[in-house]
Amino acid sequence: MTARPSPTSTLDGGPAGRGNTRIGVVTFPGSLDDRDTQRAIRRAGAEPVALWHRDKDLKQVDAVVLPGGFSYGDYLRAGAISRFSPVMETLIDQARAGLPVLGICNGFQVLTEAHLLPGAMLGNNHLHFICREQKLRVENAETAWTADYTAGQEIHIPLKNMDGRYVADERTLDMLEAEGRVAFRYLGMNPNGSLRDIAGITNEAGNVVGLMPHPEHAVEPGIGTGGTDGLGFFTSILKKLVNL
Amino acid sequence: MARVVVDVMLKPEILDPQGQAVQRALPRLGFDGISDVRQGKRFELEIDGPVDDAALDRVRKLAETFLANTVIEDFTVKVES
Protein backbone atom coordinates (compact mmCIF):
# COMPACT_ATOMS: atom_id res chain seq x y z
CA MET A 1 0.00 0.00 0.00
CA THR A 2 1.47 3.34 -1.00
CA ALA A 3 -1.33 5.89 -0.72
CA ARG A 4 -2.95 6.59 2.61
CA PRO A 5 -6.23 8.49 2.43
CA SER A 6 -5.86 10.28 5.74
CA PRO A 7 -3.61 10.45 8.78
CA THR A 8 -6.14 8.47 10.84
CA SER A 9 -5.48 5.36 8.78
CA THR A 10 -1.95 4.92 10.05
CA LEU A 11 -1.55 1.54 11.64
CA ASP A 12 0.69 2.55 14.48
CA GLY A 13 -0.66 5.69 16.01
CA GLY A 14 -3.29 8.19 15.00
CA PRO A 15 -3.64 11.92 15.26
CA ALA A 16 -0.87 13.50 17.28
CA GLY A 17 -1.51 13.86 21.00
CA ARG A 18 -4.29 11.29 21.28
CA GLY A 19 -2.32 8.15 20.58
CA ASN A 20 -1.71 7.58 24.27
CA THR A 21 -5.33 6.73 25.03
CA ARG A 22 -5.23 2.98 25.41
CA ILE A 23 -8.24 0.78 24.70
CA GLY A 24 -8.01 -2.93 25.44
CA VAL A 25 -9.50 -5.60 23.20
CA VAL A 26 -9.96 -9.02 24.80
CA THR A 27 -9.19 -12.11 22.75
CA PHE A 28 -10.98 -15.26 23.87
CA PRO A 29 -10.54 -18.61 22.14
CA GLY A 30 -13.02 -18.23 19.29
CA SER A 31 -12.99 -14.43 19.11
CA LEU A 32 -13.23 -13.36 15.47
CA ASP A 33 -13.41 -9.59 15.39
CA ASP A 34 -10.64 -8.66 17.79
CA ARG A 35 -8.32 -7.51 14.99
CA ASP A 36 -11.02 -5.48 13.25
CA THR A 37 -11.82 -3.87 16.59
CA GLN A 38 -8.16 -2.99 17.13
CA ARG A 39 -8.12 -1.47 13.67
CA ALA A 40 -11.23 0.59 14.38
CA ILE A 41 -9.65 1.88 17.60
CA ARG A 42 -6.53 2.91 15.69
CA ARG A 43 -8.63 4.64 13.05
CA ALA A 44 -10.35 6.65 15.75
CA GLY A 45 -6.94 7.77 16.98
CA ALA A 46 -6.42 5.66 20.10
CA GLU A 47 -3.98 2.88 20.83
CA PRO A 48 -5.40 -0.67 20.86
CA VAL A 49 -4.01 -3.00 23.51
CA ALA A 50 -4.41 -6.76 23.11
CA LEU A 51 -5.77 -8.44 26.26
CA TRP A 52 -5.75 -12.21 26.72
CA HIS A 53 -8.62 -14.18 28.26
CA ARG A 54 -6.35 -16.10 30.65
CA ASP A 55 -4.58 -13.00 31.92
CA LYS A 56 -6.24 -11.09 34.76
CA ASP A 57 -4.10 -8.06 33.94
CA LEU A 58 -5.97 -5.32 32.09
CA LYS A 59 -2.64 -3.55 31.46
CA GLN A 60 -4.01 -0.29 32.86
CA VAL A 61 -6.10 0.42 29.77
CA ASP A 62 -8.56 3.31 29.78
CA ALA A 63 -11.44 1.27 28.33
CA VAL A 64 -12.12 -2.27 27.08
CA VAL A 65 -13.95 -3.73 24.09
CA LEU A 66 -15.22 -7.32 24.16
CA PRO A 67 -15.29 -8.26 20.48
CA GLY A 68 -17.51 -10.47 18.36
CA GLY A 69 -17.01 -14.11 17.58
CA PHE A 70 -17.90 -17.43 19.17
CA SER A 71 -15.85 -17.48 22.35
CA TYR A 72 -15.46 -21.00 23.76
CA GLY A 73 -17.54 -22.16 20.79
CA ASP A 74 -20.67 -20.65 22.38
CA TYR A 75 -20.85 -23.95 24.30
CA LEU A 76 -23.56 -24.09 26.96
CA ARG A 77 -24.82 -20.59 26.09
CA ALA A 78 -23.16 -17.78 24.15
CA GLY A 79 -20.82 -16.03 26.55
CA ALA A 80 -21.52 -18.43 29.45
CA ILE A 81 -17.99 -19.84 29.69
CA SER A 82 -16.08 -16.68 28.69
CA ARG A 83 -17.85 -14.86 31.47
CA PHE A 84 -15.83 -16.91 33.99
CA SER A 85 -12.45 -16.44 32.30
CA PRO A 86 -9.66 -14.83 34.37
CA VAL A 87 -9.72 -11.54 32.44
CA MET A 88 -13.41 -11.16 33.23
CA GLU A 89 -12.81 -11.36 36.98
CA THR A 90 -10.88 -8.12 36.81
CA LEU A 91 -13.08 -6.61 34.15
CA ILE A 92 -16.33 -7.17 36.07
CA ASP A 93 -14.91 -5.42 39.15
CA GLN A 94 -13.51 -2.52 37.16
CA ALA A 95 -16.63 -2.10 35.02
CA ARG A 96 -18.67 -1.81 38.22
CA ALA A 97 -16.20 0.84 39.34
CA GLY A 98 -16.69 2.83 36.14
CA LEU A 99 -14.27 1.44 33.53
CA PRO A 100 -15.88 1.98 30.10
CA VAL A 101 -16.67 -1.38 28.46
CA LEU A 102 -18.25 -2.00 25.06
CA GLY A 103 -19.52 -5.47 24.16
CA ILE A 104 -20.12 -6.13 20.48
CA CYS A 105 -22.17 -9.20 19.47
CA ASN A 106 -20.47 -12.02 21.42
CA GLY A 107 -19.15 -9.32 23.73
CA PHE A 108 -22.75 -8.23 24.40
CA GLN A 109 -23.61 -11.85 25.20
CA VAL A 110 -20.67 -12.02 27.62
CA LEU A 111 -21.85 -8.81 29.35
CA THR A 112 -25.37 -10.17 29.87
CA GLU A 113 -24.02 -13.50 31.14
CA ALA A 114 -21.79 -11.55 33.53
CA HIS A 115 -24.87 -9.58 34.65
CA LEU A 116 -23.13 -6.31 33.88
CA LEU A 117 -26.13 -5.71 31.63
CA PRO A 118 -29.66 -6.97 32.34
CA GLY A 119 -31.52 -9.53 30.23
CA ALA A 120 -30.12 -12.35 28.12
CA MET A 121 -29.42 -13.34 24.53
CA LEU A 122 -31.07 -16.32 22.84
CA GLY A 123 -31.03 -17.88 19.38
CA ASN A 124 -32.57 -15.85 16.56
CA ASN A 125 -36.31 -16.51 16.43
CA HIS A 126 -36.01 -17.77 12.83
CA LEU A 127 -33.24 -20.22 13.85
CA HIS A 128 -30.87 -19.07 11.10
CA PHE A 129 -27.56 -17.25 11.16
CA ILE A 130 -28.12 -13.77 9.80
CA CYS A 131 -25.66 -11.46 8.05
CA ARG A 132 -26.92 -8.18 6.69
CA GLU A 133 -26.53 -4.45 6.68
CA GLN A 134 -28.79 -3.23 9.46
CA LYS A 135 -30.39 0.12 10.08
CA LEU A 136 -30.40 1.22 13.72
CA ARG A 137 -31.61 4.20 15.64
CA VAL A 138 -29.33 5.59 18.32
CA GLU A 139 -31.72 6.07 21.24
CA ASN A 140 -29.24 7.18 23.87
CA ALA A 141 -26.41 9.48 22.80
CA GLU A 142 -25.19 10.12 26.32
CA THR A 143 -23.28 6.92 27.07
CA ALA A 144 -19.50 6.74 27.07
CA TRP A 145 -19.67 4.99 23.69
CA THR A 146 -22.37 7.01 21.90
CA ALA A 147 -21.67 10.66 22.70
CA ASP A 148 -20.55 11.38 19.13
CA TYR A 149 -24.02 10.51 17.84
CA THR A 150 -27.24 12.42 18.33
CA ALA A 151 -30.34 10.88 19.89
CA GLY A 152 -32.61 9.69 17.11
CA GLN A 153 -29.78 9.41 14.58
CA GLU A 154 -30.10 6.53 12.11
CA ILE A 155 -26.99 4.53 11.30
CA HIS A 156 -26.18 1.57 9.03
CA ILE A 157 -23.79 -1.06 10.32
CA PRO A 158 -23.36 -4.79 9.69
CA LEU A 159 -25.20 -7.39 11.75
CA LYS A 160 -24.07 -11.03 11.81
CA ASN A 161 -25.10 -13.43 14.49
CA MET A 162 -26.80 -16.64 15.54
CA ASP A 163 -27.86 -15.72 19.07
CA GLY A 164 -29.10 -12.17 18.69
CA ARG A 165 -32.53 -12.31 20.31
CA TYR A 166 -32.52 -9.96 23.28
CA VAL A 167 -34.94 -11.01 26.01
CA ALA A 168 -35.75 -9.72 29.48
CA ASP A 169 -38.86 -9.80 31.62
CA GLU A 170 -41.46 -7.07 31.18
CA ARG A 171 -40.44 -5.28 34.35
CA THR A 172 -36.82 -5.07 33.20
CA LEU A 173 -37.87 -3.92 29.72
CA ASP A 174 -40.09 -1.21 31.21
CA MET A 175 -37.24 -0.11 33.48
CA LEU A 176 -34.80 0.08 30.54
CA GLU A 177 -37.26 2.17 28.55
CA ALA A 178 -38.09 4.46 31.47
CA GLU A 179 -34.44 5.07 32.29
CA GLY A 180 -33.44 5.65 28.66
CA ARG A 181 -31.20 2.59 28.74
CA VAL A 182 -32.27 1.20 25.38
CA ALA A 183 -29.25 2.53 23.52
CA PHE A 184 -30.06 1.21 20.02
CA ARG A 185 -33.16 -0.08 18.31
CA TYR A 186 -33.52 -2.02 15.07
CA LEU A 187 -35.21 -0.07 12.29
CA GLY A 188 -36.90 -1.37 9.16
CA MET A 189 -37.03 -4.95 10.36
CA ASN A 190 -36.40 -6.87 13.53
CA PRO A 191 -33.71 -9.35 12.45
CA ASN A 192 -33.83 -11.79 15.36
CA GLY A 193 -36.98 -11.41 17.44
CA SER A 194 -35.40 -9.14 20.03
CA LEU A 195 -38.06 -7.83 22.40
CA ARG A 196 -39.11 -4.23 21.68
CA ASP A 197 -36.65 -4.17 18.74
CA ILE A 198 -33.77 -3.73 21.17
CA ALA A 199 -30.38 -3.86 19.46
CA GLY A 200 -28.29 -2.59 22.35
CA ILE A 201 -28.52 -1.37 25.93
CA THR A 202 -26.46 0.48 28.51
CA ASN A 203 -25.99 0.07 32.24
CA GLU A 204 -27.28 2.72 34.61
CA ALA A 205 -24.00 4.63 34.70
CA GLY A 206 -23.58 4.65 30.92
CA ASN A 207 -20.06 3.19 30.99
CA VAL A 208 -21.07 -0.36 29.98
CA VAL A 209 -22.77 -0.68 26.59
CA GLY A 210 -23.60 -3.80 24.61
CA LEU A 211 -25.07 -4.22 21.15
CA MET A 212 -25.52 -7.00 18.63
CA PRO A 213 -24.52 -5.22 15.39
CA HIS A 214 -20.88 -4.54 14.54
CA PRO A 215 -19.72 -0.90 14.49
CA GLU A 216 -16.10 -2.02 14.03
CA HIS A 217 -16.96 -3.24 10.53
CA ALA A 218 -18.16 0.20 9.44
CA VAL A 219 -15.25 2.53 10.06
CA GLU A 220 -13.79 3.24 6.64
CA PRO A 221 -15.06 3.90 3.15
CA GLY A 222 -15.14 0.98 0.75
CA ILE A 223 -15.09 -1.78 3.37
CA GLY A 224 -18.06 -3.49 5.03
CA THR A 225 -21.09 -1.29 4.54
CA GLY A 226 -18.89 1.19 2.72
CA GLY A 227 -19.80 3.82 5.27
CA THR A 228 -18.25 5.01 8.50
CA ASP A 229 -21.34 4.98 10.69
CA GLY A 230 -19.60 2.75 13.25
CA LEU A 231 -16.60 4.99 13.83
CA GLY A 232 -18.56 7.14 16.29
CA PHE A 233 -18.38 4.43 18.96
CA PHE A 234 -14.62 4.69 19.02
CA THR A 235 -14.38 8.46 18.66
CA SER A 236 -16.99 8.83 21.42
CA ILE A 237 -14.94 6.92 23.95
CA LEU A 238 -11.74 8.63 22.87
CA LYS A 239 -13.25 12.09 23.41
CA LYS A 240 -14.62 11.06 26.76
CA LEU A 241 -11.25 9.74 27.92
CA VAL A 242 -9.32 12.74 26.62
CA ASN A 243 -11.71 15.18 28.28
CA LEU A 244 -11.72 13.45 31.67
CA MET B 1 -20.34 -42.84 42.74
CA ALA B 2 -23.76 -41.31 42.26
CA ARG B 3 -25.31 -39.44 39.43
CA VAL B 4 -27.06 -36.13 39.89
CA VAL B 5 -29.15 -34.86 37.01
CA VAL B 6 -29.70 -31.18 36.35
CA ASP B 7 -32.50 -30.36 33.92
CA VAL B 8 -32.52 -26.86 32.50
CA MET B 9 -35.58 -25.48 30.73
CA LEU B 10 -36.38 -22.08 29.28
CA LYS B 11 -38.87 -20.26 31.47
CA PRO B 12 -42.46 -20.75 30.27
CA GLU B 13 -42.78 -17.16 29.05
CA ILE B 14 -39.65 -17.37 26.88
CA LEU B 15 -40.24 -18.18 23.21
CA ASP B 16 -38.64 -21.50 22.21
CA PRO B 17 -38.38 -21.57 18.40
CA GLN B 18 -36.44 -24.85 18.43
CA GLY B 19 -39.22 -26.57 20.34
CA GLN B 20 -41.75 -25.07 17.95
CA ALA B 21 -39.80 -26.38 14.94
CA VAL B 22 -39.79 -29.87 16.47
CA GLN B 23 -43.51 -29.64 17.20
CA ARG B 24 -44.31 -28.54 13.66
CA ALA B 25 -42.41 -31.52 12.23
CA LEU B 26 -44.43 -34.06 14.23
CA PRO B 27 -47.62 -34.35 12.11
CA ARG B 28 -45.48 -34.90 9.01
CA LEU B 29 -43.86 -37.85 10.80
CA GLY B 30 -47.22 -39.30 11.75
CA PHE B 31 -47.17 -38.23 15.40
CA ASP B 32 -50.47 -36.49 16.02
CA GLY B 33 -51.94 -35.08 19.18
CA ILE B 34 -48.89 -33.23 20.51
CA SER B 35 -49.81 -29.60 20.86
CA ASP B 36 -46.58 -28.16 22.23
CA VAL B 37 -42.89 -29.06 22.51
CA ARG B 38 -40.29 -27.28 24.55
CA GLN B 39 -36.64 -28.21 24.33
CA GLY B 40 -34.25 -28.11 27.25
CA LYS B 41 -30.86 -29.32 28.41
CA ARG B 42 -30.00 -32.27 30.64
CA PHE B 43 -26.71 -32.45 32.53
CA GLU B 44 -25.59 -35.70 34.16
CA LEU B 45 -23.04 -35.10 36.90
CA GLU B 46 -21.07 -38.00 38.35
CA ILE B 47 -20.45 -37.07 41.98
CA ASP B 48 -17.46 -38.35 43.95
CA GLY B 49 -18.36 -39.31 47.50
CA PRO B 50 -21.74 -39.25 49.20
CA VAL B 51 -24.59 -37.24 47.71
CA ASP B 52 -25.64 -35.59 50.94
CA ASP B 53 -27.30 -32.24 51.48
CA ALA B 54 -23.98 -30.44 51.24
CA ALA B 55 -23.18 -32.08 47.91
CA LEU B 56 -26.62 -31.23 46.56
CA ASP B 57 -26.23 -27.65 47.72
CA ARG B 58 -23.01 -27.45 45.74
CA VAL B 59 -24.76 -28.81 42.65
CA ARG B 60 -27.58 -26.30 43.07
CA LYS B 61 -25.02 -23.51 43.33
CA LEU B 62 -23.30 -24.81 40.20
CA ALA B 63 -26.60 -25.00 38.34
CA GLU B 64 -27.62 -21.53 39.42
CA THR B 65 -24.34 -19.83 38.54
CA PHE B 66 -23.31 -21.73 35.44
CA LEU B 67 -25.47 -24.51 33.97
CA ALA B 68 -28.57 -22.32 33.89
CA ASN B 69 -28.94 -18.61 33.24
CA THR B 70 -31.72 -17.90 35.70
CA VAL B 71 -32.67 -14.74 33.81
CA ILE B 72 -34.20 -17.00 31.15
CA GLU B 73 -34.06 -20.55 32.48
CA ASP B 74 -35.32 -22.68 35.39
CA PHE B 75 -33.56 -25.79 36.62
CA THR B 76 -34.27 -28.87 38.69
CA VAL B 77 -31.77 -31.07 40.51
CA LYS B 78 -32.44 -34.74 41.22
CA VAL B 79 -30.42 -37.72 42.35
CA GLU B 80 -30.55 -40.70 40.05
CA SER B 81 -30.34 -44.06 41.78
Side-chain angles (χ1 to χ4, degrees), chain A residues 144-208:
Chain A
W145 300 91
T146 57
D148 258 0
Y149 297 99
T150 51
Q153 186 176 345
E154 295 182 9
I155 59 174
H156 286 80
I157 59 177
L159 172 78
K160 44 164 198 167
N161 65 261
M162 188 72 217
D163 294 334
R165 174 167 48 120
Y166 180 76
V167 299
D169 59 36
E170 286 294 311
R171 203 170 55 91
T172 304
L173 294 169
D174 288 343
M175 176 196 73
L176 291 173
E177 304 262 17
E179 295 179 359
R181 290 170 55 189
V182 175
F184 310 94
R185 229 183 282 265
Y186 296 116
L187 284 184
M189 62 100 81
N190 183 328
N192 44 35
S194 288
L195 297 178
R196 304 196 192 181
D197 299 332
I198 289 172
I201 56 174
T202 175
N203 69 346
E204 207 174 349
N207 63 308
V208 180

Side-chain angles (χ1 to χ4, degrees), chain A residues 130-153:
Chain A
I130 190 166
C131 181
R132 68 190 304 269
E133 185 181 328
Q134 178 68 45
K135 187 154 66 159
L136 304 177
R137 185 170 57 232
V138 180
E139 302 279 21
N140 181 337
E142 287 167 19
T143 77
W145 300 91
T146 57
D148 258 0
Y149 297 99
T150 51
Q153 186 176 345

Side-chain angles (χ1 to χ4, degrees), chain A:
Chain A
M1 208 157 102
T2 50
R4 296 194 183 278
S6 77
T8 53
S9 69
T10 56
L11 288 173
D12 52 356
R18 297 200 295 178
N20 56 356
T21 299
R22 301 166 73 247
I23 302 179
V25 180
V26 176
T27 298
F28 297 101
S31 291
L32 296 176
D33 301 319
D34 41 345
R35 298 294 291 272
D36 274 25
T37 304
Q38 291 177 13
R39 186 177 166 79
I41 289 167
R42 254 185 231 111
R43 253 194 104 70
E47 179 191 344
V49 176
L51 301 176
W52 183 234
H53 68 113
R54 284 168 68 178
D55 193 346
K56 283 186 187 178
D57 184 8
L58 295 185
K59 301 184 182 171
Q60 295 183 306
V61 292
D62 304 300
V64 173
V65 182
L66 300 177
F70 295 86
S71 58
Y72 293 87
D74 277 359
Y75 301 141
L76 187 60
R77 295 175 306 275
I81 299 178
S82 338
R83 170 251 179 282
F84 289 103
S85 60
V87 73
M88 287 300 296
E89 280 181 42
T90 321
L91 187 138
I92 289 169
D93 283 347
Q94 294 204 12
R96 288 195 178 123
L99 179 76
V101 178
L102 173 67
I104 302 169
C105 193
N106 191 227
F108 184 19
Q109 294 159 344
V110 173
L111 291 175
T112 58
E113 281 286 340
H115 306 302
L116 284 172
L117 292 174
M121 310 301 304
L122 280 165
N124 297 339
N125 60 343
H126 46 75
L127 301 174
H128 298 285
F129 188 89
I130 190 166
C131 181
R132 68 190 304 269
E133 185 181 328
Q134 178 68 45
K135 187 154 66 159
L136 304 177
R137 185 170 57 232
V138 180
E139 302 279 21
N140 181 337
E142 287 167 19
T143 77
W145 300 91
T146 57
D148 258 0
Y149 297 99
T150 51
Q153 186 176 345
E154 295 182 9
I155 59 174
H156 286 80
I157 59 177
L159 172 78
K160 44 164 198 167
N161 65 261
M162 188 72 217
D163 294 334
R165 174 167 48 120
Y166 180 76
V167 299
D169 59 36
E170 286 294 311
R171 203 170 55 91
T172 304
L173 294 169
D174 288 343
M175 176 196 73
L176 291 173
E177 304 262 17
E179 295 179 359
R181 290 170 55 189
V182 175
F184 310 94
R185 229 183 282 265
Y186 296 116
L187 284 184
M189 62 100 81
N190 183 328
N192 44 35
S194 288
L195 297 178
R196 304 196 192 181
D197 299 332
I198 289 172
I201 56 174
T202 175
N203 69 346
E204 207 174 349
N207 63 308
V208 180
V209 171
L211 81 165
M212 222 46 217
H214 288 262
E216 81 282 15
H217 296 326
V219 296
E220 54 204 316
I223 296 178
T225 56
T228 58
D229 284 2
L231 193 59
F233 284 78
F234 306 98
T235 55
S236 294
I237 189 63
L238 185 54
K239 273 188 198 160
K240 179 179 172 58
L241 293 169
V242 167
N243 293 331
L244 276 179

Side-chain angles (χ1 to χ4, degrees), chain B residues 23-78:
Chain B
Q23 192 270 336
R24 281 196 298 269
L26 294 178
R28 195 158 43 79
L29 302 174
F31 297 102
D32 295 322
I34 297 171
S35 59
D36 191 27
V37 174
R38 293 184 66 81
Q39 181 177 317
K41 294 174 189 153
R42 173 186 167 99
F43 300 87
E44 299 181 344
L45 312 179
E46 306 298 334
I47 308 292
D48 298 332
V51 182
D52 49 18
D53 285 350
L56 282 174
D57 279 348
R58 281 201 303 278
V59 171
R60 281 190 202 99
K61 185 79 186 158
L62 159 70
E64 191 183 350
T65 52
F66 188 43
L67 298 183
N69 178 347
T70 55
V71 173
I72 45 169
E73 294 166 324
D74 296 322
F75 67 88
T76 59
V77 175
K78 56 178 183 275

